Amino acid sequence: MNKDLRNAVIAGNWKMNKTPAETTALINEMKPLVADADCKVVLCVPFVDIAAAVEAAKGSNIEIGAENVHFKASGAYTGEISADMLVASGVKYVVIGHSERRQYFGETDQTVNLRTLAAVNAGLTAIVCVGETLEQRELGYTETLLKYQTKMALTNLTKEQLKNIIIAYEPVWAIGTGVTATAEQADEGNGYVREAIAEVYGKDVAETVTIQYGGSMNPKNADELVAKVNVDGGLIGGASLKAEDFAVIVKAASK
Ligand code: PGA
């Protein structure tokens, strides 16, 4: 197991928060605080904030991501945004299959896979989210479910394309609840994801894939979480809306 083979990535997921003007202000506040980061720093923002975010982040080490992408290149898909549109807007990353999208917007393992293929084929790095509900955990299905979601999301992706894949293990019960997985639970969940990748693509490839933890990661618990061998950074919701909190997490992943 070699953590050095992988990039630690700290990615903010702003969800449905911030106007374009607020985006500019928050990124300007964050820039000096994360300038010395020894990990990748990404902010995934609402579609309408992308232009402001790309402009504000120019010349800094912050890269911009989106929070979703459609799987078709163009056409009659009212309200959707294509991967090429994101690339043309300066976006480098995109969150796919977040549990809120699975829960509230009918996202399935199949559409997560199609969106992932579209994103990677367009040159984006996909941050694919997987995670079990509390009920699934209590029934003992965590490993089965994480492996299934991971393999489904990566269906038809080549080994080469895995270079543009990040998986975020986000236990649904830990998202926005203030209940964080213990560092051991995070490491175990991330380990199942890595095993699933190894089962399909081989151990050597699996060792190179960045696997984040997400779910109530904050300045207090970040150190312990990102120190775990299978945890290569984090996907941060609430704490990414506060410059100082986000910067502390970036520092933790830079050690
Ligand atoms: P949280 O969200 O950090 O607010 O729990 C994480 C996420 O949903 O990506």
Side-chain angles (χ1 to χ4, degrees):
M1 202 73 74
N2 190 348
K3 230 169 140 70
D4 296 339
L5 290 172
R6 307 184 283 271
N7 282 321
V9 180
I10 295 294
N13 172 17
W14 284 5
K15 308 194 180 185
M16 197 171 72
N17 292 291
K18 303 294 173 191
T19 63
E22 290 166 347
T23 297
T24 305
L26 182 53
I27 293 180
N28 282 337
E29 202 185 337
M30 281 180 178
K31 277 195 290 191
L33 302 179
V34 302
D36 298 333
D38 192 17
C39 65
K40 284 193 181 284
V41 183
V42 178
L43 293 173
C44 299
V45 304
F47 291 134
V48 296
D49 295 332
I50 287 170
V54 167
E55 183 59 33
K58 242 182 216 156
S60 78
N61 57 334
I62 298 175
E63 295 182 283
I64 302 305
E67 298 177 15
N68 191 20
V69 62
H70 192 57
F71 37 85
K72 294 285 189 183
S74 62
Y77 302 99
T78 302
E80 294 291 329
I81 301 289
S82 76
D84 285 344
M85 292 173 184
L86 294 179
V87 170
S89 306
V91 164
K92 303 274 192 267
Y93 293 78
V94 60
V95 177
I96 296 175
H98 190 280
S99 65
E100 287 150 15
R101 295 215 56 87
R102 294 179 191 253
Q103 201 177 338
Y104 307 133
F105 303 103
E107 201 75 64
T108 65
D109 289 309
Q110 283 76 18
T111 55
V112 168
N113 174 237
L114 293 175
R115 290 178 204 270
T116 303
L117 282 165
V120 169
N121 285 334
L124 295 165
T125 294
I127 302 177
V128 180
C129 302
V130 298
E132 82 288 359
T133 62
L134 188 57
E135 188 187 13
Q136 289 162 336
R137 170 167 283 266
E138 285 171 349
L139 287 168
Y141 293 147
T142 302
E143 177 176 355
T144 308
L145 190 96
L146 291 181
K147 288 190 168 178
Y148 178 77
Q149 286 185 340
T150 302
K151 288 179 187 177
M152 284 295 290
L154 301 181
T155 303
N156 292 328
L157 263 88
T158 64
K159 250 183 208 187
E160 195 53 31
Q161 287 175 317
L162 280 200
K163 291 186 180 134
N164 291 322
I165 294 288
I166 294 171
I167 309 275
Y169 166 49
E170 299 206 310
V172 178
W173 47 271
I175 295 176
T177 56
V179 181
T180 318
T182 63
E184 287 68 33
Q185 285 171 324
D187 197 43
E188 183 181 62
N190 283 30
Y192 293 145
V193 171
R194 202 175 303 288
E195 270 170 43
I197 299 171
E199 285 164 18
V200 180
Y201 297 93
K203 210 168 179 319
D204 289 353
V205 174
E207 284 294 312
T208 64
V209 178
T210 296
I211 305 177
Q212 300 171 315
Y213 166 78
S216 299
M217 200 190 270
N218 61 44
K220 288 202 178 84
N221 58 29
D223 258 332
E224 202 190 345
L225 287 162
V226 299
K228 286 291 177 190
V229 70
N230 272 311
V231 180
D232 311 313
L235 184 57
I236 323 297
S240 72
L241 296 169
K242 292 187 196 130
E244 281 172 13
D245 286 0
F246 189 66
V248 173
I249 298 172
V250 167
K251 277 206 180 75
S254 299
K255 285 176 187 161

